[in-house]
Amino acid sequence: MAAATKLQAFWNHPAGPKTIHFWAPTFKWGISIANIADFSKPPEKISYPQQLAVTCTGIVWSRYSMVITPKNWNLFSVNVAMAGTGLYQLSRKIKDDYFSESETEAAVAKE
């Protein structure tokens, strides 16, 4: 009986599955999943503007999701994931661009 009550509460919640406030963040998970799939992509293929947008969106909307009523935990969690995956991708790109030796520099150093 308790499970049915919890399911009914979830179903009727102001940010539940009968509202856009549930479905928009649910589909937004696709962006985070795609970013996770791109972890295997070579760093030189990562886009600074794209990852900055993903990161900033995640940070801004994570904060927003905590100040609205009712609190939307689905929105919060997807945006934390977006910020986290964006920051990770940016760190990979920055490390590759500024802190790793290129093949040419490595070849010159060996001579």
Side-chain angles (χ1 to χ4, degrees), residues 4 14 17 25 37 43 46 54 63 77 81 85 88 94 101:
I46 295 172
V54 168
R63 172 68 180 131
S77 61
T85 60
Y88 177 68
I94 291 166
E101 286 188 26

Side-chain angles (χ1 to χ4, degrees), residues 18 20-21 25 28 30 39 43 45 55 57 60 63-64 68-70 73-74 85 88-89 101 111:
K18 295 193 293 186
I20 190 67
H21 307 296
K28 197 173 184 181
F39 286 176
K45 300 263 186 187
T55 303
T57 297
V60 168
R63 172 68 180 131
Y64 174 76
I68 59 173
T69 303
W73 294 103
N74 189 17
T85 60
Y88 177 68
Q89 292 287 54
E101 286 188 26
E111 292 177 2

Side-chain angles (χ1 to χ4, degrees), residues 64-77:
Y64 174 76
S65 69
M66 292 292 97
V67 297
I68 59 173
T69 303
K71 295 214 181 335
N72 189 333
W73 294 103
N74 189 17
L75 182 63
F76 176 74
S77 61

Side-chain angles (χ1 to χ4, degrees), residues 3-92:
T5 305
K6 288 190 184 238
L7 184 60
Q8 187 175 21
F10 169 70
W11 183 256
N12 293 319
H13 190 273
K18 295 193 293 186
T19 70
I20 190 67
H21 307 296
F22 173 82
W23 292 106
T26 299
F27 283 104
K28 197 173 184 181
W29 275 104
I31 297 169
S32 291
I33 292 166
N35 227 13
I36 290 168
D38 285 348
F39 286 176
S40 61
K41 182 189 266 189
E44 58 272 5
K45 300 263 186 187
I46 295 172
S47 163
Y48 280 115
Q50 178 184 6
Q51 294 307 320
L52 280 169
V54 168
T55 303
C56 291
T57 297
I59 292 168
V60 168
W61 288 99
S62 292
R63 172 68 180 131
Y64 174 76
S65 69
M66 292 292 97
V67 297
I68 59 173
T69 303
K71 295 214 181 335
N72 189 333
W73 294 103
N74 189 17
L75 182 63
F76 176 74
S77 61
V78 72
N79 283 297
V80 166
M82 284 185 67
T85 60
L87 285 168
Y88 177 68
Q89 292 287 54
L90 285 170
S91 71
R92 290 181 58 222

